[in-house]
Amino acid sequence: MSEDIKVDKVLDLKGLPCPMPVVKVSKGIKDVEVGQVIEAHSTDPGSLTDFPAWARTSGNEILKTEQDGEVIKFYIKRNA
Amino acid sequence: MQNIKQKPEVMQNIEEQLAALQSRIEVLDKKTPDDKLSMIVFSGDLDKALASFIIATGAVAMGLEAVMFFTFWGTPLLRAKGKKVGGKDTMGKMFGTMLPKGTSDLKLSKMNMAGMGTAMMKSLMKKKNVASLEQMLEMAEQLGIKIYVCEMSMDLMGFKREEMIDYKDLTYCGVAKFLEEANNSRIQLFI
């Protein structure tokens, strides 16, 4: 977990291929309030392109992306 | 402002222009497509059906509404495996036997190799954790994806409504319904 970002929910999407990471993150973000942050863990390399595209389209914000070995961690703020 | 008020004809002119603009905006509003994806699923190939559902579910994740129209070879994949109906004529029986009965009967469009290729692809998908067509259909229902089925294809192939899957939002329709939806969608696809 990143020290400077307060995370309200962690979403484990490891091992899931397209389209599941985006489908689940779009559902999962609804579990937090607007302004809160979720941390999503994906192992699908396509997520690196897909998550920003999803965030731009759905009006949410990716605060930070971290790569930890195979796991890509997205810190996403719910704006919409 | 005081200057304008002193000239009623100028004020009236502005009001007329405003009214004209408002009605133009209303017209434009009606013409602006919704955040929606309309898709025709024409193919009954496993690979193409999978692609259709991946795009449709992805669209919902992106905040779009998704509508799928099943026609021709796409229609039989919505038949329920376990349901049996009687009262079909010879041609209806023939189509019923020869065409897939539900998602599990679909074959790859390439490399089917008498079913070996399809079986291999399915086991590979399982190994790689890729959602099966059955799972995708279930997810589509959960996500509120609307399914429309072409009435003419049903009739041509002799399918009866009682043999189709139980899906929350399934409606039978003709081409006009698709065109209405497509006309009102940002994205239209034919698969």
Side-chain angles (χ1 to χ4, degrees), chain B residues 44-54 68 70 77 102-106 122 125 130-140:
Chain B
D45 293 324
L46 174 64
D47 35 27
K48 289 178 191 168
L50 261 172
S52 308
F53 277 98
I54 291 173
M68 299 173 92
F70 288 79
L77 75 90
T103 47
S104 59
D105 282 355
L106 300 195
K122 280 186 181 172
M125 279 168 63
V130 175
S132 67
L133 193 51
E134 291 72 29
Q135 289 168 322
M136 295 299 292
L137 191 59
E138 209 183 302
M139 200 161 67

Side-chain angles (χ1 to χ4, degrees), chain A residues 15 17 19-20 22-23 26-27 53-54 57, chain B residues 54 57 61-62 128-130 136 139 142-143:
Chain A
M20 295 315 290
V22 202
V23 170
S26 70
K27 274 187 181 172
W54 163 79
T57 312
Chain B
I54 291 173
T57 51
M62 300 285 278
K128 302 249 181 196
N129 227 346
V130 175
M136 295 299 292
M139 200 161 67
Q142 283 170 12
L143 292 174

Side-chain angles (χ1 to χ4, degrees), chain B residues 1 3 5 12 20 23 26 29 57 60 64 73 81 89 93 99 117-118 124 128 141 143 146 151 165 167 180 188:
Chain B
M1 204 62 196
N3 261 341
K5 272 183 186 161
Q12 198 191 349
S23 69
E26 272 168 33
D29 260 351
T57 51
V60 176
L64 297 166
W73 311 120
K81 192 88 191 164
D89 60 15
K93 277 182 191 154
L99 288 169
T118 297
L124 195 65
K128 302 249 181 196
E141 188 176 30
L143 292 174
K146 280 188 194 144
E151 189 68 67
I165 53 162
Y167 187 93
E180 185 200 22
Q188 303 96 7

